Amino acid sequence: MRLSKLPDVGTTIFTIMSRRARELGALNLGQGFPDYDIDPRLAALVAEAMRAGHNQYAPMEGLPELRERIALKVRACYAVSADPESEITVTLGATEAIYSAIQAAVGPGDEALAFDPAYDSYEPAVRLAGGRCVRIALTPPDFRYDWERVRAAINERTRLVLFNSPANPACSVASAADLDELAAVVRDRDILLLSDEVYEHVVFDGLRHHSVLAHPELRSRSFAVFSFGKTLHATGMRVGYCIAPRALTAELRKVHQFNTFSIATPLQRAIAAYLTEQPDGWRELTPFFAAKRDRLRAALAGSGFSLPPAQGTYFQLLGFGEFAPPDDLAFAERLLTEAGVATIPLSPFYAAPVRMPFLRLCIAKRDSTLDEATQRLTAFAARLRYGDGR
Ligand SMILES: Cc1ncc(COP(=O)(O)O)c(C=O)c1O
């Protein structure tokens, strides 16, 4: 009997670091979730929906009123239309949208292209679909695309490109030119695109998020994936959605209906009502997280840690090349046990073994958490620089 379909896959680095942070009482800047409360109005709307009896199965594709609100939001953000009936599906977070889209698109012998450092759910989903994930590294420290390498990796087996902007954990944002390059790469080929846009509203320094939805050539072959966990600071609600052309949506729903079937009714009701009350709420996300990123960067300036550009997402990379060899697993362990700060090493996001001088910090934390963490990191850096006597 075959024991495992994913023999090399263990518990994710996020779960491991969060568990160890709890055990050690460390500050958790590792896993990407806010440590502050959600808007009490959203919590009230969830309770109201439950009290009003919205507690039975929702329609498989999502509540109509939520899909309507999503269509309005997409129009407001990207000036594009998406048909709630045939193009929008509510999913169990972006994670399920990614998984279901990959199962719908990839078959045995197919290849899917992903960019390292790649979000960790992509490759296992491709392999469970019988496909092979081909990984191309972005070029550090600013993690740009090498389109020559992408062109060289494409062949007649390539079925899907997994694209993520703003990118976790690279913190880079694809440009309009990148989307054009991508369109050129897949043009005249039977290749689909999965565009993971969960950080669509967290883009800094006057840059803009370029959604595939607003790129007509890419839109026609894309599953675009979004997360209310990220946009409502409520990662535990596990509600996301996928927007794709009618034919792709039909295939996605064939998987979705046997995967999660439908998503928690009271949560969908509440989110639809919340978006009706605050249709523009997403506009606050970039300034909110820009202030946190700037606070963290200012506090760490001069510490000896390097701070690569963070163009988007709610993360900031921390470079420790000044202090230690580029063994990120070992350095993350030291920060956890010696400085009391949990981070996420980057190497688990790579297919080939790499030695990275970078760790990922989550900035979606209370200012007091960020302040305490940066003090601990700065003090630890000083100990490394000057020895314990100082
Ligand atoms: C790039 C990326 N994609 C997808 C997800 C999953 O989103 P969700 O929590 O909505 O499942 C995350 C969550 O951290 C992410 O960072």
mmCIF file of all heavy atoms in Angstrom, residues 215-252:
data_model
loop_
_atom_site.group_PDB
_atom_site.id
_atom_site.type_symbol
_atom_site.label_atom_id
_atom_site.label_comp_id
_atom_site.label_asym_id
_atom_site.label_seq_id
_atom_site.Cartn_x
_atom_site.Cartn_y
_atom_site.Cartn_z
ATOM 1 N N HIS A 215 -6.746 43.267 -17.432
ATOM 2 C CA HIS A 215 -5.890 42.999 -18.598
ATOM 3 C C HIS A 215 -6.669 42.036 -19.496
ATOM 4 O O HIS A 215 -6.661 40.820 -19.264
ATOM 5 C CB HIS A 215 -4.581 42.358 -18.117
ATOM 6 C CG HIS A 215 -3.510 42.320 -19.162
ATOM 7 N ND1 HIS A 215 -3.581 41.533 -20.286
ATOM 8 C CD2 HIS A 215 -2.334 42.987 -19.261
ATOM 9 C CE1 HIS A 215 -2.499 41.703 -21.018
ATOM 10 N NE2 HIS A 215 -1.729 42.595 -20.426
ATOM 11 N N PRO A 216 -7.362 42.570 -20.511
ATOM 12 C CA PRO A 216 -8.327 41.738 -21.243
ATOM 13 C C PRO A 216 -7.746 40.418 -21.742
ATOM 14 O O PRO A 216 -8.402 39.372 -21.666
ATOM 15 C CB PRO A 216 -8.754 42.630 -22.407
ATOM 16 C CG PRO A 216 -8.499 44.026 -21.919
ATOM 17 C CD PRO A 216 -7.328 43.945 -20.988
ATOM 18 N N GLU A 217 -6.511 40.453 -22.214
ATOM 19 C CA GLU A 217 -5.927 39.220 -22.763
ATOM 20 C C GLU A 217 -5.745 38.172 -21.662
ATOM 21 O O GLU A 217 -6.020 36.988 -21.857
ATOM 22 C CB GLU A 217 -4.579 39.569 -23.399
ATOM 23 C CG GLU A 217 -4.181 38.599 -24.468
ATOM 24 C CD GLU A 217 -2.817 38.963 -25.065
ATOM 25 O OE1 GLU A 217 -2.367 40.129 -24.930
ATOM 26 O OE2 GLU A 217 -2.210 38.056 -25.656
ATOM 27 N N LEU A 218 -5.278 38.619 -20.501
ATOM 28 C CA LEU A 218 -5.080 37.681 -19.388
ATOM 29 C C LEU A 218 -6.408 37.295 -18.746
ATOM 30 O O LEU A 218 -6.608 36.143 -18.354
ATOM 31 C CB LEU A 218 -4.135 38.283 -18.343
ATOM 32 C CG LEU A 218 -2.694 38.466 -18.798
ATOM 33 C CD1 LEU A 218 -1.869 39.167 -17.724
ATOM 34 C CD2 LEU A 218 -2.048 37.119 -19.159
ATOM 35 N N ARG A 219 -7.298 38.253 -18.653
ATOM 36 C CA ARG A 219 -8.604 38.001 -18.014
ATOM 37 C C ARG A 219 -9.291 36.783 -18.630
ATOM 38 O O ARG A 219 -9.910 35.986 -17.951
ATOM 39 C CB ARG A 219 -9.462 39.256 -18.191
ATOM 40 C CG ARG A 219 -10.970 39.104 -17.983
ATOM 41 C CD ARG A 219 -11.341 39.292 -16.529
ATOM 42 N NE ARG A 219 -12.745 39.599 -16.347
ATOM 43 C CZ ARG A 219 -13.675 38.715 -16.005
ATOM 44 N NH1 ARG A 219 -13.351 37.443 -15.847
ATOM 45 N NH2 ARG A 219 -14.928 39.085 -15.810
ATOM 46 N N SER A 220 -9.174 36.638 -19.945
ATOM 47 C CA SER A 220 -9.915 35.585 -20.645
ATOM 48 C C SER A 220 -9.385 34.190 -20.324
ATOM 49 O O SER A 220 -10.017 33.205 -20.675
ATOM 50 C CB SER A 220 -9.862 35.829 -22.151
ATOM 51 O OG SER A 220 -8.517 35.692 -22.585
ATOM 52 N N ARG A 221 -8.223 34.093 -19.679
ATOM 53 C CA ARG A 221 -7.690 32.763 -19.363
ATOM 54 C C ARG A 221 -7.312 32.640 -17.886
ATOM 55 O O ARG A 221 -6.541 31.761 -17.519
ATOM 56 C CB ARG A 221 -6.495 32.450 -20.256
ATOM 57 C CG ARG A 221 -5.379 33.471 -20.199
ATOM 58 C CD ARG A 221 -4.142 32.945 -20.909
ATOM 59 N NE ARG A 221 -4.159 33.178 -22.344
ATOM 60 C CZ ARG A 221 -3.584 32.369 -23.219
ATOM 61 N NH1 ARG A 221 -2.967 31.286 -22.806
ATOM 62 N NH2 ARG A 221 -3.606 32.639 -24.501
ATOM 63 N N SER A 222 -7.866 33.517 -17.038
ATOM 64 C CA SER A 222 -7.412 33.557 -15.641
ATOM 65 C C SER A 222 -8.469 33.160 -14.630
ATOM 66 O O SER A 222 -9.643 33.521 -14.744
ATOM 67 C CB SER A 222 -6.968 34.980 -15.280
ATOM 68 O OG SER A 222 -5.810 35.339 -15.979
ATOM 69 N N PHE A 223 -7.996 32.457 -13.603
ATOM 70 C CA PHE A 223 -8.708 32.355 -12.339
ATOM 71 C C PHE A 223 -8.077 33.427 -11.443
ATOM 72 O O PHE A 223 -6.894 33.312 -11.091
ATOM 73 C CB PHE A 223 -8.460 31.002 -11.657
ATOM 74 C CG PHE A 223 -8.932 29.801 -12.427
ATOM 75 C CD1 PHE A 223 -8.067 29.092 -13.263
ATOM 76 C CD2 PHE A 223 -10.236 29.349 -12.291
ATOM 77 C CE1 PHE A 223 -8.499 27.966 -13.947
ATOM 78 C CE2 PHE A 223 -10.673 28.220 -12.964
ATOM 79 C CZ PHE A 223 -9.808 27.529 -13.796
ATOM 80 N N ALA A 224 -8.820 34.449 -11.065
ATOM 81 C CA ALA A 224 -8.278 35.471 -10.167
ATOM 82 C C ALA A 224 -8.835 35.208 -8.770
ATOM 83 O O ALA A 224 -10.042 35.028 -8.592
ATOM 84 C CB ALA A 224 -8.663 36.864 -10.654
ATOM 85 N N VAL A 225 -7.921 35.197 -7.795
ATOM 86 C CA VAL A 225 -8.262 34.708 -6.461
ATOM 87 C C VAL A 225 -8.086 35.816 -5.423
ATOM 88 O O VAL A 225 -7.063 36.499 -5.412
ATOM 89 C CB VAL A 225 -7.338 33.512 -6.136
ATOM 90 C CG1 VAL A 225 -7.435 33.118 -4.689
ATOM 91 C CG2 VAL A 225 -7.662 32.331 -7.046
ATOM 92 N N PHE A 226 -9.096 35.961 -4.538
ATOM 93 C CA PHE A 226 -9.098 37.051 -3.556
ATOM 94 C C PHE A 226 -9.502 36.522 -2.178
ATOM 95 O O PHE A 226 -10.078 35.439 -2.067
ATOM 96 C CB PHE A 226 -10.085 38.144 -4.004
ATOM 97 C CG PHE A 226 -9.784 38.679 -5.379
ATOM 98 C CD1 PHE A 226 -10.340 38.080 -6.510
ATOM 99 C CD2 PHE A 226 -8.929 39.751 -5.547
ATOM 100 C CE1 PHE A 226 -10.053 38.551 -7.783
ATOM 101 C CE2 PHE A 226 -8.639 40.236 -6.815
ATOM 102 C CZ PHE A 226 -9.202 39.633 -7.933
ATOM 103 N N SER A 227 -9.241 37.323 -1.136
ATOM 104 C CA SER A 227 -9.469 36.847 0.231
ATOM 105 C C SER A 227 -10.114 37.931 1.096
ATOM 106 O O SER A 227 -9.539 39.008 1.263
ATOM 107 C CB SER A 227 -8.131 36.448 0.857
ATOM 108 O OG SER A 227 -8.271 36.233 2.236
ATOM 109 N N PHE A 228 -11.290 37.636 1.636
ATOM 110 C CA PHE A 228 -11.851 38.561 2.631
ATOM 111 C C PHE A 228 -11.080 38.480 3.938
ATOM 112 O O PHE A 228 -11.141 39.397 4.749
ATOM 113 C CB PHE A 228 -13.338 38.266 2.875
ATOM 114 C CG PHE A 228 -14.219 38.760 1.765
ATOM 115 C CD1 PHE A 228 -15.019 37.886 1.048
ATOM 116 C CD2 PHE A 228 -14.239 40.100 1.433
ATOM 117 C CE1 PHE A 228 -15.822 38.339 0.018
ATOM 118 C CE2 PHE A 228 -15.043 40.572 0.393
ATOM 119 C CZ PHE A 228 -15.834 39.681 -0.317
ATOM 120 N N GLY A 229 -10.380 37.376 4.161
ATOM 121 C CA GLY A 229 -9.532 37.275 5.343
ATOM 122 C C GLY A 229 -8.558 38.440 5.391
ATOM 123 O O GLY A 229 -8.331 39.057 6.438
ATOM 124 N N LYS A 230 -7.976 38.748 4.238
ATOM 125 C CA LYS A 230 -6.995 39.840 4.177
ATOM 126 C C LYS A 230 -7.681 41.195 4.170
ATOM 127 O O LYS A 230 -7.251 42.113 4.861
ATOM 128 C CB LYS A 230 -6.129 39.708 2.915
ATOM 129 C CG LYS A 230 -5.459 38.353 2.740
ATOM 130 C CD LYS A 230 -4.469 38.029 3.824
ATOM 131 C CE LYS A 230 -3.893 36.632 3.628
ATOM 132 N NZ LYS A 230 -3.122 36.163 4.763
ATOM 133 N N THR A 231 -8.751 41.351 3.383
ATOM 134 C CA THR A 231 -9.317 42.703 3.246
ATOM 135 C C THR A 231 -10.149 43.118 4.453
ATOM 136 O O THR A 231 -10.372 44.304 4.672
ATOM 137 C CB THR A 231 -10.179 42.838 1.969
ATOM 138 O OG1 THR A 231 -11.091 41.756 1.926
ATOM 139 C CG2 THR A 231 -9.348 42.833 0.733
ATOM 140 N N LEU A 232 -10.597 42.159 5.260
ATOM 141 C CA LEU A 232 -11.391 42.513 6.449
ATOM 142 C C LEU A 232 -10.620 42.250 7.738
ATOM 143 O O LEU A 232 -11.202 42.253 8.822
ATOM 144 C CB LEU A 232 -12.714 41.733 6.452
ATOM 145 C CG LEU A 232 -13.616 41.949 5.231
ATOM 146 C CD1 LEU A 232 -14.880 41.102 5.330
ATOM 147 C CD2 LEU A 232 -13.979 43.424 5.068
ATOM 148 N N HIS A 233 -9.329 41.996 7.651
ATOM 149 C CA HIS A 233 -8.480 41.705 8.823
ATOM 150 C C HIS A 233 -9.037 40.514 9.598
ATOM 151 O O HIS A 233 -8.975 40.483 10.831
ATOM 152 C CB HIS A 233 -8.417 42.919 9.778
ATOM 153 C CG HIS A 233 -8.022 44.209 9.137
ATOM 154 N ND1 HIS A 233 -6.716 44.537 8.836
ATOM 155 C CD2 HIS A 233 -8.764 45.275 8.728
ATOM 156 C CE1 HIS A 233 -6.673 45.734 8.276
ATOM 157 N NE2 HIS A 233 -7.903 46.198 8.196
ATOM 158 N N ALA A 234 -9.607 39.548 8.912
ATOM 159 C CA ALA A 234 -10.329 38.457 9.585
ATOM 160 C C ALA A 234 -9.941 37.118 8.949
ATOM 161 O O ALA A 234 -10.769 36.451 8.320
ATOM 162 C CB ALA A 234 -11.832 38.692 9.474
ATOM 163 N N THR A 235 -8.679 36.734 9.137
ATOM 164 C CA THR A 235 -8.190 35.532 8.440
ATOM 165 C C THR A 235 -8.928 34.271 8.893
ATOM 166 O O THR A 235 -9.016 33.304 8.148
ATOM 167 C CB THR A 235 -6.675 35.345 8.665
ATOM 168 O OG1 THR A 235 -6.435 35.232 10.078
ATOM 169 C CG2 THR A 235 -5.876 36.509 8.117
ATOM 170 N N GLY A 236 -9.467 34.295 10.127
ATOM 171 C CA GLY A 236 -10.158 33.106 10.629
ATOM 172 C C GLY A 236 -11.559 32.925 10.081
ATOM 173 O O GLY A 236 -12.169 31.879 10.288
ATOM 174 N N MET A 237 -12.083 33.913 9.381
ATOM 175 C CA MET A 237 -13.420 33.737 8.795
ATOM 176 C C MET A 237 -13.394 32.764 7.623
ATOM 177 O O MET A 237 -14.399 32.138 7.320
ATOM 178 C CB MET A 237 -13.979 35.077 8.319
ATOM 179 C CG MET A 237 -14.559 35.905 9.425
ATOM 180 S SD MET A 237 -15.636 37.147 8.689
ATOM 181 C CE MET A 237 -16.285 37.892 10.150
ATOM 182 N N ARG A 238 -12.253 32.682 6.971
ATOM 183 C CA ARG A 238 -12.057 31.737 5.881
ATOM 184 C C ARG A 238 -13.056 31.960 4.739
ATOM 185 O O ARG A 238 -13.729 31.017 4.294
ATOM 186 C CB ARG A 238 -12.118 30.270 6.365
ATOM 187 C CG ARG A 238 -11.344 29.940 7.603
ATOM 188 C CD ARG A 238 -9.826 30.166 7.481
ATOM 189 N NE ARG A 238 -9.247 29.427 6.390
ATOM 190 C CZ ARG A 238 -8.562 30.009 5.407
ATOM 191 N NH1 ARG A 238 -8.358 31.318 5.397
ATOM 192 N NH2 ARG A 238 -8.067 29.293 4.442
ATOM 193 N N VAL A 239 -13.175 33.180 4.290
ATOM 194 C CA VAL A 239 -14.035 33.449 3.131
ATOM 195 C C VAL A 239 -13.203 34.161 2.057
ATOM 196 O O VAL A 239 -12.533 35.154 2.349
ATOM 197 C CB VAL A 239 -15.270 34.316 3.499
ATOM 198 C CG1 VAL A 239 -16.176 34.490 2.265
ATOM 199 C CG2 VAL A 239 -16.055 33.685 4.646
ATOM 200 N N GLY A 240 -13.251 33.604 0.868
ATOM 201 C CA GLY A 240 -12.558 34.214 -0.263
ATOM 202 C C GLY A 240 -13.413 34.043 -1.504
ATOM 203 O O GLY A 240 -14.575 33.630 -1.421
ATOM 204 N N TYR A 241 -12.837 34.371 -2.665
ATOM 205 C CA TYR A 241 -13.622 34.169 -3.893
ATOM 206 C C TYR A 241 -12.711 34.076 -5.101
ATOM 207 O O TYR A 241 -11.538 34.474 -5.051
ATOM 208 C CB TYR A 241 -14.675 35.268 -4.077
ATOM 209 C CG TYR A 241 -14.172 36.690 -4.049
ATOM 210 C CD1 TYR A 241 -13.923 37.403 -5.212
ATOM 211 C CD2 TYR A 241 -13.937 37.338 -2.835
ATOM 212 C CE1 TYR A 241 -13.469 38.712 -5.179
ATOM 213 C CE2 TYR A 241 -13.489 38.657 -2.795
ATOM 214 C CZ TYR A 241 -13.257 39.327 -3.965
ATOM 215 O OH TYR A 241 -12.803 40.616 -3.930
ATOM 216 N N CYS A 242 -13.281 33.507 -6.153
ATOM 217 C CA CYS A 242 -12.553 33.356 -7.409
ATOM 218 C C CYS A 242 -13.381 33.985 -8.514
ATOM 219 O O CYS A 242 -14.594 33.751 -8.590
ATOM 220 C CB CYS A 242 -12.334 31.868 -7.696
ATOM 221 S SG CYS A 242 -11.423 31.586 -9.225
ATOM 222 N N ILE A 243 -12.727 34.784 -9.351
ATOM 223 C CA ILE A 243 -13.388 35.366 -10.520
ATOM 224 C C ILE A 243 -12.717 34.803 -11.766
ATOM 225 O O ILE A 243 -11.486 34.862 -11.901
ATOM 226 C CB ILE A 243 -13.295 36.910 -10.513
ATOM 227 C CG1 ILE A 243 -13.949 37.452 -9.228
ATOM 228 C CG2 ILE A 243 -13.946 37.497 -11.760
ATOM 229 C CD1 ILE A 243 -13.950 38.964 -9.105
ATOM 230 N N ALA A 244 -13.522 34.221 -12.627
ATOM 231 C CA ALA A 244 -12.976 33.609 -13.841
ATOM 232 C C ALA A 244 -14.055 33.642 -14.926
ATOM 233 O O ALA A 244 -15.255 33.701 -14.607
ATOM 234 C CB ALA A 244 -12.554 32.163 -13.560
ATOM 235 N N PRO A 245 -13.655 33.590 -16.196
ATOM 236 C CA PRO A 245 -14.652 33.555 -17.268
ATOM 237 C C PRO A 245 -15.616 32.374 -17.089
ATOM 238 O O PRO A 245 -15.265 31.393 -16.424
ATOM 239 C CB PRO A 245 -13.813 33.370 -18.541
ATOM 240 C CG PRO A 245 -12.437 33.773 -18.169
ATOM 241 C CD PRO A 245 -12.286 33.537 -16.705
ATOM 242 N N ARG A 246 -16.757 32.478 -17.708
ATOM 243 C CA ARG A 246 -17.831 31.494 -17.512
ATOM 244 C C ARG A 246 -17.340 30.035 -17.638
ATOM 245 O O ARG A 246 -17.621 29.217 -16.759
ATOM 246 C CB ARG A 246 -18.925 31.762 -18.556
ATOM 247 C CG ARG A 246 -20.020 30.719 -18.639
ATOM 248 C CD ARG A 246 -20.942 31.030 -19.807
ATOM 249 N NE ARG A 246 -21.757 32.202 -19.541
ATOM 250 C CZ ARG A 246 -22.983 32.174 -18.997
ATOM 251 N NH1 ARG A 246 -23.530 31.015 -18.707
ATOM 252 N NH2 ARG A 246 -23.659 33.276 -18.788
ATOM 253 N N ALA A 247 -16.608 29.733 -18.688
ATOM 254 C CA ALA A 247 -16.210 28.328 -18.916
ATOM 255 C C ALA A 247 -15.261 27.854 -17.815
ATOM 256 O O ALA A 247 -15.366 26.714 -17.343
ATOM 257 C CB ALA A 247 -15.544 28.186 -20.286
ATOM 258 N N LEU A 248 -14.349 28.716 -17.391
ATOM 259 C CA LEU A 248 -13.418 28.315 -16.320
ATOM 260 C C LEU A 248 -14.161 28.218 -14.991
ATOM 261 O O LEU A 248 -13.905 27.313 -14.183
ATOM 262 C CB LEU A 248 -12.271 29.319 -16.207
ATOM 263 C CG LEU A 248 -11.329 29.421 -17.404
ATOM 264 C CD1 LEU A 248 -10.169 30.372 -17.088
ATOM 265 C CD2 LEU A 248 -10.785 28.054 -17.782
ATOM 266 N N THR A 249 -15.092 29.135 -14.758
ATOM 267 C CA THR A 249 -15.879 29.088 -13.517
ATOM 268 C C THR A 249 -16.677 27.783 -13.445
ATOM 269 O O THR A 249 -16.774 27.158 -12.376
ATOM 270 C CB THR A 249 -16.819 30.309 -13.435
ATOM 271 O OG1 THR A 249 -16.008 31.474 -13.282
ATOM 272 C CG2 THR A 249 -17.765 30.210 -12.253
ATOM 273 N N ALA A 250 -17.218 27.365 -14.571
ATOM 274 C CA ALA A 250 -17.990 26.102 -14.585
ATOM 275 C C ALA A 250 -17.095 24.947 -14.136
ATOM 276 O O ALA A 250 -17.517 24.091 -13.350
ATOM 277 C CB ALA A 250 -18.542 25.850 -15.982
ATOM 278 N N GLU A 251 -15.854 24.928 -14.612
ATOM 279 C CA GLU A 251 -14.934 23.844 -14.218
ATOM 280 C C GLU A 251 -14.528 23.982 -12.757
ATOM 281 O O GLU A 251 -14.460 22.985 -12.031
ATOM 282 C CB GLU A 251 -13.689 23.864 -15.126
ATOM 283 C CG GLU A 251 -13.977 23.524 -16.573
ATOM 284 C CD GLU A 251 -14.730 22.205 -16.720
ATOM 285 O OE1 GLU A 251 -14.275 21.184 -16.162
ATOM 286 O OE2 GLU A 251 -15.788 22.202 -17.385
ATOM 287 N N LEU A 252 -14.267 25.196 -12.323
ATOM 288 C CA LEU A 252 -13.915 25.427 -10.914
ATOM 289 C C LEU A 252 -15.036 24.933 -9.997
ATOM 290 O O LEU A 252 -14.796 24.253 -8.996
ATOM 291 C CB LEU A 252 -13.687 26.924 -10.677
ATOM 292 C CG LEU A 252 -13.487 27.296 -9.208
ATOM 293 C CD1 LEU A 252 -11.998 27.338 -8.878
ATOM 294 C CD2 LEU A 252 -14.128 28.628 -8.858
#
